Amino acid sequence: MSRTAKERRNRRGSRRRNRNEIPLLSVPFRQLRNRLAPLEVISAEQVEQIHEASMQILEDVGLRWLDEEALDLWEKAGAKIDRSQKHAWLDRGLVMELVAKAPASFTWRARNPAHDIIIGGDSINFFGHSGMVYVSDLDAGRRTGTFQDFEKLLKLQQMSNVL
């Protein structure tokens, strides 16, 4: 066999191996950071208006909780609760007291400590957080998403160091 034929065969084999590799799986895991200052999209006055409106909703309209344990926790914290309606009204003082206790950032621990991530601060994180309305595949085409489709999507995301 000539040298060029052997080289051609090696190149074809290399291209075939590269085609079968999944590029996202070769990207190393790392914590992404945003070193830029946050964008001021709205003014401080507009932030205050949104805050006041949200406090008014929490105090006057309230929130419906379908979980009894959540209602227990809110009642213990001091919120006004209507168990028959599964409804809670949160006083702004209570909300601000609880928000003040929240840390500015925390570490989300992974089974592999090298994959721990920081939530908050200048950290950038990507998560799968819900299902999909529609999915598409080569077998069935476009269709309504199912829980099994969501599980497949989560598995793909968990395989990737990028997501």
Side-chain angles (χ1 to χ4, degrees):
M1 182 183 299
S2 70
R3 180 179 164 106
T4 57
K6 190 183 254 185
E7 288 173 351
R8 239 188 342 263
R9 191 178 70 213
N10 288 342
R11 281 195 308 264
R12 276 195 304 261
S14 175
R15 283 195 301 265
R16 190 177 305 113
R17 281 189 302 278
N18 288 342
R19 258 193 321 264
N20 292 333
E21 290 179 5
I22 301 171
L24 285 177
L25 295 181
S26 63
V27 177
F29 177 85
R30 66 187 177 104
Q31 176 78 54
L32 298 177
R33 303 273 185 200
N34 180 10
R35 303 291 183 206
L36 302 174
L39 292 176
E40 299 284 335
V41 180
I42 60 177
S43 69
E45 181 180 303
Q46 291 169 318
V47 170
E48 186 60 30
Q49 287 174 341
I50 292 170
H51 174 72
E52 282 302 315
S54 65
M55 290 294 110
Q56 183 178 1
I57 290 169
L58 293 174
E59 288 179 321
D60 300 337
V61 177
L63 299 170
R64 186 154 188 223
W65 298 88
L66 301 179
D67 182 44
E68 288 296 325
E69 184 181 1
L71 288 169
D72 292 342
L73 291 170
W74 280 117
E75 188 172 44
K76 185 178 176 184
K80 179 182 162 195
I81 304 293
D82 180 350
R83 288 200 177 272
S84 65
Q85 296 294 314
K86 296 189 176 189
H87 210 87
W89 292 267
L90 312 178
D91 176 72
R92 73 179 59 219
L94 171 64
V95 172
M96 296 311 294
E97 177 186 330
L98 295 172
V99 168
K101 292 179 182 178
S105 66
F106 62 92
T107 301
W108 198 328
R109 304 280 179 205
R111 284 183 291 188
N112 177 353
H115 291 180
D116 288 354
I117 58 172
I118 297 171
I119 306 293
D122 63 353
S123 298
I124 300 173
N125 298 292
F126 300 98
F127 297 97
H129 56 82
S130 67
M132 63 290 293
V133 177
Y134 298 104
V135 295
S136 182
D137 63 26
L138 296 176
D139 297 328
R142 185 172 190 250
R143 64 185 190 290
T144 303
T146 64
F147 186 71
Q148 288 77 24
D149 294 319
F150 176 60
E151 286 177 331
K152 289 178 188 176
L153 177 66
L154 285 179
K155 288 177 184 178
L156 288 171
Q157 290 172 345
Q158 290 171 1
M159 287 174 53
S160 171
N161 286 331
V162 177
L163 298 176

